[in-house]
Amino acid sequence: MFPMLTVLSMFYYICLRRRARIGTRGEIMNSRRAIESNQRTLPLTVEVEQYVKEIVDFSSHYGSENSMSYTMWNLAGMPNVYPSSGDFTQTAVFRMYGKWWEQCASAPQPFRRTPEKFQSQDYVELAFEEPVYPTSIDILETYHPGAVIRILACSLNPFSQNLPAEVRWEVLWLGEPSKMVTHQARQFSPCIKQINFPTNLIRLEVNSSLLEYYTELDAVVLRGVKERPLLSLYKMPLIDISDFSDSEEEKDAYEAERLRKQFGDTAINEHTNNGYFDKLPYELIQLLLDHLTLPDLCRLAQTCKLLYQHCCDPLQYIQLSLQPYWARVNDAALDHLQSRCTLIQRLNLSWSGNRGAISVPGFCRFLKVCGFQLVCLELACCHFLNEACLEVIAQMCPNLQELNLSSCDRLHPQAFSHISKLVGLRRLLLYRTKIEQTALLSILTFCTDLRHLNLGSCVMIEDYDVIASMLSAKSKNLKSLDIWRCKNITEKGISELVSGCRLLEELDLGWCSTLQSSTGCFVHLARHLPKLRKFFVTANRTVCDTDVEELAANCPNLQHLDLLGTRMVSPASLRKLLQSCKNLLLLDVSFCSQIDTRVVQELTVQFPKVSIKKSFTQ
């Protein structure tokens, strides 16, 4: 088998090099002619410095939809905090950090063929006043820096009323997830690439998986010139000297001859027009192609008829993530993939199709052909979606089990009623959507096999006690529930919820300010949810020692606990918790007035396997 792998790799390499060589030589000649005919002096240009004018779009934030604390909107304007360091409400904070969320049962399964270079988890898009050719970008990070991994510029002016025929995104800088030695504030000014169009729309993509706590961004500064420097029009690419050689064909022939001699005693000795690939079993070639990314698969399909057949086989597209290519996914791409995706079961279109790239007819056309066998559909931040799209999803995807509509905040409330027809749903993410109570009750009535439900920051729901009662009656198999920043659930709703949903492993009640420990709701919860692994009661000032001790006594499987902001928890109760919950991995006691830095240090020494968080404000 290994000789066959070598032959396949060499053949693929030769084909790609031949195709790339034509374009490379053309670029060299064009660049040479341009330079020879345009020997001019660079014009004097004035550099413009500007702060963010408006937040255009983002995937998540820690804050509420109805306030400014910890929201992306804090990135607009001049810095509020910098150069100070620490945890400040006036900064922009994303919803997640570290690897804690990936360890939960509610985390989605990763998609095969996701390129290693694509590691973005969140994004924010920033609009500036004037389009410029960027010369530098400064990102003011005030707490746990190092999350920004990609910076892009867009050709579209977000303040223009007219949508251009083509919207281009260009990567200005690309990095890797990092873990900084210090969590102090810094000004991050990466060396950015020159682009050939002016921009006033910048996108930051982040990955916080290596950070010890939430990253906080204060402001972004864009510098640039209004007129494009002429020399940049004809900037010579970095060319390897071997690209000027006229003996590439000879090199390829030499490589082929070397392989033929090396494996002359094998079954591939006979020459064919398919580079010996027709000697391999069909299943073996399929297995080899399974390791290629989508762009490589499309390139390989152009090399010969045999490999075209393999690359277009629907079995190669059982699951497909287009999220890494969000900037290039449009109607034409979906039409092109349509014939290959007739057997697709898992599809990720998150972040794709915005600003007219995917139309409603284009999306519906694709689903009508490829939707029947779908069990998982990821559509986070897909702003092209409307009621017609959800209606088609409900009609054409009868086997759907997972649906992600996170941050589809432009969907009309009425559109969500169609989800109730997807009676096999097990995982439903509605974070930051405008779903209303009537539509949600209809969904819960008919989708009785829900295992994971995210209603975080769903501000249009009038009475969460009613929702909790319906969950208790209909969703007996529920394992995770996120009602982050719910403003109207009470002890009555919690009592009904835990009486019916006894299998709950994850419960996020962060920033649910209407819950009061004095009612006994947290004690009741701890006694009825023995399987609990993740419990967030972030910013609930009333959580007390009794609540923590009940968790220690009744929830031995607890792994993640967030107690941020309580004044009523003492070191003694925390020590009992850490002694009883042997599987505990994460404990957040930030802004707990009785838990100072000395206590955290002592507990960290005693329980080294637990990551105890204690943020600070300088």
Side-chain angles (χ1 to χ4, degrees), residues 494-558:
I494 294 297
S495 178
E496 294 220 30
L497 177 70
V498 301
S499 65
C501 302
R502 303 295 293 271
L503 300 180
L504 271 173
E505 297 179 10
E506 302 174 29
L507 183 57
D508 193 333
L509 301 175
W511 296 87
C512 295
S513 55
T514 51
L515 292 174
Q516 298 293 314
S517 174
S518 58
T519 65
C521 60
F522 299 130
V523 170
H524 187 68
L525 183 152
R527 291 175 179 175
H528 284 77
L529 297 180
K531 294 181 179 292
L532 203 60
R533 295 175 180 271
K534 172 184 173 181
F535 185 42
F536 278 24
V537 278
T538 317
N540 190 304
R541 317 297 182 191
T542 69
V543 175
C544 63
D545 282 345
T546 303
D547 303 320
V548 174
E549 289 169 4
E550 286 292 335
L551 287 171
N554 297 287
C555 303
N557 298 318
L558 200 62

Side-chain angles (χ1 to χ4, degrees), residues 319-464:
Q319 56 175 285
L320 177 64
S321 177
L322 295 175
Q323 184 180 6
Y325 319 106
W326 61 265
R328 291 179 283 168
V329 177
N330 53 26
D331 282 349
L334 292 184
D335 289 341
H336 179 76
L337 289 168
Q338 195 175 106
S339 62
R340 308 183 187 194
C341 294
T342 53
L343 301 178
I344 192 168
Q345 296 178 8
R346 302 184 70 227
L347 175 63
N348 185 358
L349 277 172
S350 294
W351 304 3
S352 304
N354 298 329
R355 300 184 175 87
I358 295 179
S359 65
V360 170
F363 175 76
C364 295
R365 189 165 59 243
F366 181 84
L367 276 195
K368 287 176 180 178
V369 175
C370 308
F372 185 76
Q373 297 196 48
L374 273 178
V375 295
C376 173
L377 184 56
E378 301 279 341
L379 297 171
C381 306
C382 289
H383 300 309
F384 66 85
L385 293 173
N386 65 6
E387 184 176 356
C389 294
L390 265 63
E391 185 176 7
V392 169
I393 291 172
Q395 291 173 351
M396 305 310 301
C397 307
N399 300 305
L400 203 62
Q401 297 179 10
E402 301 182 38
L403 178 62
N404 182 0
L405 297 173
S406 297
S407 291
C408 292
D409 54 345
R410 300 170 200 180
L411 266 173
H412 192 274
Q414 185 178 342
F416 295 95
S417 60
H418 296 285
I419 298 175
S420 63
K421 300 170 187 175
L422 300 168
V423 294
L425 275 182
R426 295 188 174 190
R427 178 172 168 265
L428 179 59
L429 277 64
L430 298 172
Y431 167 72
R432 287 191 66 239
T433 62
K434 291 183 171 64
I435 188 169
E436 293 179 340
Q437 186 160 311
T438 303
L440 182 55
L441 289 174
S442 178
I443 293 170
L444 298 180
T445 300
F446 294 100
C447 303
T448 57
D449 200 24
L450 279 174
R451 311 291 174 87
H452 307 287
L453 179 62
N454 189 330
L455 300 173
S457 292
C458 291
V459 297
M460 305 287 282
I461 297 173
E462 301 167 358
D463 190 345
Y464 269 92

Side-chain angles (χ1 to χ4, degrees), residues 124-400:
V124 58
E125 292 179 359
L126 313 169
F128 296 81
E129 180 71 35
E130 299 183 56
V132 294
Y133 293 94
T135 55
S136 69
I137 292 178
D138 297 339
I139 303 170
L140 306 183
E141 304 171 280
T142 54
Y143 200 42
H144 289 274
V148 178
I149 61 168
R150 196 157 77 141
I151 304 174
L152 301 97
C154 186
S155 60
L156 175 140
N157 186 336
F159 303 119
S160 174
Q161 298 298 319
N162 301 319
L163 195 66
E166 180 187 15
V167 177
R168 294 174 54 196
W169 284 94
E170 196 76 36
V171 176
L172 300 180
W173 176 83
L174 180 65
E176 295 282 338
S178 58
K179 181 179 179 179
M180 306 302 294
V181 177
T182 175
H183 50 244
Q184 297 296 318
R186 72 165 184 174
Q187 176 179 300
F188 179 50
S189 306
C191 182
I192 62 174
K193 184 180 76 173
Q194 290 189 2
I195 56 175
N196 59 5
F197 58 83
T199 183
N200 62 338
L201 179 56
I202 297 295
R203 174 175 171 127
L204 308 182
E205 294 185 359
V206 304
N207 182 311
S208 305
S209 63
L210 298 183
L211 300 186
E212 292 294 327
Y213 206 59
Y214 297 98
T215 190
E216 299 191 7
L217 310 179
D218 190 17
V220 177
V221 184
L222 171 65
R223 297 186 185 86
V225 293
K226 293 184 178 181
E227 295 182 19
R228 186 181 180 193
L230 290 179
L231 190 60
S232 68
L233 291 168
Y234 317 117
K235 187 177 181 181
M236 282 286 287
L238 294 176
I239 304 297
D240 190 283
I241 192 168
S242 63
D243 290 329
F244 292 101
S245 171
D246 293 326
S247 59
E248 293 292 345
E249 299 293 338
E250 296 175 9
K251 290 181 180 179
D252 293 345
Y254 170 78
E255 294 291 347
E257 180 65 20
R258 184 181 66 79
L259 286 172
R260 195 161 65 86
K261 288 180 179 179
Q262 183 175 351
F263 306 116
D265 296 331
T266 68
I268 66 170
N269 197 32
E270 181 183 350
H271 177 72
T272 70
N273 292 328
N274 292 318
Y276 307 115
F277 282 94
D278 53 3
K279 300 295 183 182
L280 297 176
Y282 191 92
E283 295 80 3
L284 178 58
I285 298 179
Q286 287 287 296
L287 182 62
L288 295 173
L289 298 189
D290 194 50
H291 296 277
L292 297 180
T293 62
L294 180 63
D296 285 343
L297 203 62
C298 293
R299 294 185 190 107
L300 187 60
Q302 302 175 51
T303 56
C304 72
K305 291 182 179 179
L306 177 66
L307 291 178
Y308 176 83
Q309 178 186 355
H310 280 282
C311 293
C312 294
D313 192 320
L315 291 174
Q316 288 290 334
Y317 302 86
I318 296 297
Q319 56 175 285
L320 177 64
S321 177
L322 295 175
Q323 184 180 6
Y325 319 106
W326 61 265
R328 291 179 283 168
V329 177
N330 53 26
D331 282 349
L334 292 184
D335 289 341
H336 179 76
L337 289 168
Q338 195 175 106
S339 62
R340 308 183 187 194
C341 294
T342 53
L343 301 178
I344 192 168
Q345 296 178 8
R346 302 184 70 227
L347 175 63
N348 185 358
L349 277 172
S350 294
W351 304 3
S352 304
N354 298 329
R355 300 184 175 87
I358 295 179
S359 65
V360 170
F363 175 76
C364 295
R365 189 165 59 243
F366 181 84
L367 276 195
K368 287 176 180 178
V369 175
C370 308
F372 185 76
Q373 297 196 48
L374 273 178
V375 295
C376 173
L377 184 56
E378 301 279 341
L379 297 171
C381 306
C382 289
H383 300 309
F384 66 85
L385 293 173
N386 65 6
E387 184 176 356
C389 294
L390 265 63
E391 185 176 7
V392 169
I393 291 172
Q395 291 173 351
M396 305 310 301
C397 307
N399 300 305
L400 203 62

Side-chain angles (χ1 to χ4, degrees), residues 27-28 30-40 42 194 196 228-237:
E27 290 174 2
I28 295 169
N30 289 337
S31 298
R32 282 178 171 174
R33 294 191 189 102
I35 290 177
E36 289 170 0
S37 60
N38 291 277
Q39 297 292 338
R40 306 179 185 178
L42 283 176
Q194 290 189 2
N196 59 5
R228 186 181 180 193
L230 290 179
L231 190 60
S232 68
L233 291 168
Y234 317 117
K235 187 177 181 181
M236 282 286 287

